[in-house]
Amino acid sequence: MEQTVRETSGPSRPVDGCSTDWDPRCPEVLSDQIGAYDRMRETCPVAYSDYLGWSLFRHQDVLRVLGDHETFSNVVSRHPSVPNGMDPPEHTLYRRMIEPYFAPERIAAFEPDFRQIAHDLVASLGRTPSCDVIRDFAEPYAVRIQCSFLGWPQTLHAPLLQWIYKNRTATLARDSEATAAVALEFDGHIRSQLKLREQAGADAGDDLTTCLLRQTIDGHRLDHSQIVSILRNWTVGELGTIAACVGIILHFLAERPDVQSQLRQDRSQLPPAIDEILRLHGPLLSNRRVATRAVTIGGRTIEAGDRITVMWASANRDGAAFADAKQFHPERDQSHNLLYGTGIHVCPGAQLARMQLRIVLEELLDGLDPFALPARSPPVRATYPASGFSSLFLTPA
């Protein structure tokens, strides 16, 4: 069925006596988010909940929203978000400014540092790790490579790890006071780094954070609030999704010894395999938009001002977009894969993330003996807004 988007009027909420179509935080959903989203896509692909507003589960609906920034605005927060929470023409100006920070040659320069970080962390695990590889490997890896990329000191590693847990808890609870507190805490870390560089003046290192302090846009220097917003967007997304990606891939390889063996023998297969594994189990579950006018999607009326949640993790498993969608086919055409988004808000750091994941998987396959999942310590799934696993143990295969 073709999606229609038109001016319309009528009820925008369920009219069958229920106030919502589903509860994204109920135990049945949180116990297996990916499976729950699959069921919603088939039974109620445009669903309303008090928690997420309108959730869109089909690839075609998500693609439409991502491609129509005039009808579906990215300005979803009371707090400034540069440039993610902007629409054109403002978004265009800032997006053009940040893209050189993710130029191929700039990204490539970090590969030796990222590889050393991955190598050292893998070495600390031993050939047959008995620890929780999420807490003791994936999350530390995400924090350390991000600090390396931004030029932040090792003293921030532990505070940023703690911040991840606080932010995740506050977001799930929709606790506005806790969310504001953790946001302020994170902003404090950034502002302290800006202050150190300003005090150093010309002697400040030529790292990415210092470059942003010297950055101009439209003839003016960025102010601290703009820099904080840019770095918050980059870092919050990086810390959560990279750690989730590592856990998801390790879990998949532990369950699929045939794929693990193939990748050990031929590392050239890693890039397409990583993209396909993360299509099957998205590290980023959703993203927000707000309707600027009344529209109809999938037979449901969405009013101007209504919140919309695009469900990446469901869209990427839609059989209408991917043949044999729930099966692992790394050779498939990945052009419809929304892992890094699409349109004007496509992730500028997609190639950076791909490099970081390729490096860490190369080091893991080099440093670990063949592994499987232990029967006595089953993985613990992460819960919204996180994806992947909050705990994951491995055992020798």
Side-chain angles (χ1 to χ4, degrees):
M1 180 184 295
E2 288 293 320
Q3 172 185 309
T4 60
V5 178
R6 65 177 186 271
E7 296 292 344
T8 186
S9 60
S12 64
R13 303 289 183 269
V15 293
D16 56 2
C18 299
S19 61
T20 64
D21 295 306
W22 72 308
D23 180 0
R25 294 183 291 178
C26 73
E28 292 78 10
V29 170
L30 294 181
S31 66
D32 180 8
Q33 294 178 118
I34 302 300
Y37 300 162
D38 284 344
R39 293 189 293 274
M40 291 299 297
R41 188 179 60 251
E42 300 303 322
T43 61
C44 189
V46 181
Y48 184 79
S49 69
D50 292 333
Y51 182 57
L52 294 180
W54 290 101
S55 294
L56 308 183
F57 294 90
R58 293 185 300 198
H59 192 278
Q60 66 170 3
D61 295 337
V62 169
L63 202 62
R64 173 58 194 225
V65 168
L66 300 180
D68 185 357
H69 55 80
E70 293 183 355
T71 305
F72 307 101
S73 171
N74 234 48
V75 184
V76 296
S77 173
R78 295 173 298 171
H79 307 288
S81 178
V82 183
N84 303 39
M86 295 175 167
D87 295 324
E90 188 179 29
H91 169 270
T92 307
L93 186 65
Y94 284 93
R95 176 72 184 220
R96 188 179 299 128
M97 181 271 291
I98 70 167
E99 283 184 342
Y101 289 93
F102 298 94
E105 63 275 11
R106 189 161 197 160
I107 290 173
F110 285 95
E111 180 160 355
D113 289 342
F114 295 162
R115 188 170 295 280
Q116 188 63 55
I117 290 168
H119 180 82
D120 291 345
L121 282 169
V122 170
S124 72
L125 294 177
R127 299 294 304 185
T128 56
S130 59
C131 61
D132 181 346
V133 293
I134 301 298
R135 288 288 180 120
D136 296 327
F137 180 82
E139 289 171 341
Y141 176 69
V143 165
R144 293 184 192 186
I145 58 174
Q146 184 65 0
C147 286
S148 173
F149 183 62
L150 298 179
W152 293 359
Q154 294 182 10
T155 53
L156 277 180
H157 291 174
L160 287 178
L161 280 171
Q162 290 303 312
W163 182 87
I164 291 174
Y165 311 139
K166 294 177 187 177
N167 184 59
R168 191 175 296 158
T169 300
T171 304
L172 175 62
R174 291 293 292 268
D175 184 332
S176 58
E177 290 187 7
T179 300
V182 294
L184 189 62
E185 177 184 335
F186 188 81
D187 290 0
H189 292 313
I190 299 176
R191 290 182 186 278
S192 68
Q193 292 302 307
L194 299 181
K195 183 178 180 180
L196 288 171
R197 285 160 177 76
E198 287 182 330
Q199 291 173 342
D203 294 328
D206 190 26
D207 56 45
L208 188 148
T209 303
T210 303
C211 289
L212 283 173
L213 269 173
R214 298 167 179 167
Q215 177 74 54
T216 61
I217 186 166
D218 205 19
H220 302 283
R221 285 276 183 94
L222 294 174
D223 61 39
H224 278 201
S225 65
Q226 291 170 319
I227 298 172
V228 166
S229 180
I230 292 169
L231 291 175
R232 185 196 306 117
N233 281 330
W234 289 352
T235 305
V236 171
E238 177 82 358
L239 297 183
T241 55
I242 289 294
C245 286
V246 173
I248 289 166
I249 296 167
L250 284 174
H251 179 268
F252 181 90
L253 296 181
E255 286 198 315
R256 291 288 302 269
D258 57 326
V259 177
Q260 185 183 153
S261 177
Q262 290 171 8
L263 295 179
R264 287 179 180 277
Q265 295 171 23
D266 183 3
R267 303 303 168 78
S268 69
Q269 296 183 36
L270 268 174
I274 290 170
D275 276 7
E276 176 69 352
I277 293 168
L278 298 178
R279 180 194 67 80
L280 286 166
H281 189 155
L284 182 63
L285 293 176
S286 65
N287 200 237
R288 296 184 296 165
R289 296 291 190 274
V290 63
T292 62
R293 63 187 180 97
V295 298
T296 296
I297 301 179
R300 308 298 295 270
T301 302
I302 299 175
E303 302 288 0
D306 278 0
R307 294 177 297 127
I308 297 170
T309 305
V310 293
M311 307 301 292
W312 306 108
S314 170
N316 264 346
R317 292 167 57 87
D318 189 342
F322 303 94
D324 204 15
K326 296 179 184 178
Q327 300 302 315
F328 175 73
H329 295 299
E331 73 284 355
R332 77 165 76 243
D333 177 8
Q334 295 287 343
S335 60
H336 298 299
N337 191 338
L338 298 176
L339 174 60
Y340 296 102
T342 191
I344 64 172
H345 292 287
V346 67
C347 177
Q351 292 310 311
L352 174 66
R354 285 190 169 103
M355 181 184 76
Q356 292 167 338
L357 293 172
R358 172 181 57 80
I359 287 171
V360 76
L361 263 295
E362 288 172 348
E363 294 297 323
L364 282 164
L365 293 175
D366 280 343
L368 301 186
D369 292 334
F371 52 85
L373 297 177
R376 294 186 177 181
S377 300
V380 179
R381 297 178 188 272
T383 56
Y384 197 91
S387 182
F389 303 91
S390 59
S391 177
L392 179 66
F393 288 81
L394 303 176
T395 193

